[in-house]
Amino acid sequence: MLLPPTFGLHTTGAADFTVLSVEIWSTCLVVNLHVESAAGKAVPEIAIEDHWGTEYTLRDSASLGSRNLQVFTPSVPPGTRSLTIRSTEAAQPRLVVTFAVPVMHDANRLDPESGYQPNHLRRPA
């Protein structure tokens, strides 16, 4: 799980939101947002970028109260050093937050010491 270096409210024409975290899974990324609960506000339109130029595609979005989860595929490629979230609203596309990505190892391999083999989670090494 990646936490932003700072928490701040990002205001666009479509929504007011704060990025709370990004979860890195072996098959996807999940962006956890807090959306201001003002009536009539839409779900934020965001995109994810990395320094490799990987194309991340929004696959699903779910809201529960003021929380919104957006699922993007694929997961980060090995060696990814940063992830950037941008607002993609046509009137004001802009940078929202950049995350440093720790060195990752393949958690789907069997750990020879413990015998534990997780199925879907990639964790910092």
Side-chain angles (χ1 to χ4, degrees), residues 8-120:
L9 183 64
H10 303 281
T11 302
T12 68
D16 298 337
F17 65 98
T18 302
V19 177
L20 301 176
S21 66
V22 174
E23 297 176 25
I24 299 177
W25 296 87
S26 63
T27 58
C28 66
L29 300 172
V30 179
V31 180
N32 182 359
L33 305 169
H34 170 77
V35 181
E36 291 296 313
S37 58
K41 294 290 186 180
V43 172
E45 297 176 21
I46 61 170
I48 298 178
E49 302 171 353
D50 63 26
H51 71 281
W52 299 114
T54 306
E55 287 193 35
Y56 294 96
T57 304
L58 178 64
R59 294 295 180 195
D60 201 3
S61 178
S63 294
L64 179 61
S66 64
R67 196 60 60 90
N68 177 254
L69 300 175
Q70 295 191 20
V71 179
F72 291 84
T73 58
S75 185
V76 293
T80 300
R81 295 185 306 255
S82 66
L83 287 176
T84 298
I85 296 179
R86 292 191 178 278
S87 166
T88 59
E89 184 179 316
Q92 293 179 292
R94 63 185 174 93
L95 172 75
V96 174
V97 66
T98 298
F99 296 88
V101 178
V103 175
M104 307 293 267
H105 74 277
D106 185 357
N108 291 324
R109 290 183 296 179
L110 183 63
D111 180 350
E113 291 181 22
S114 69
Y116 177 68
Q117 184 175 7
N119 294 323
H120 299 288

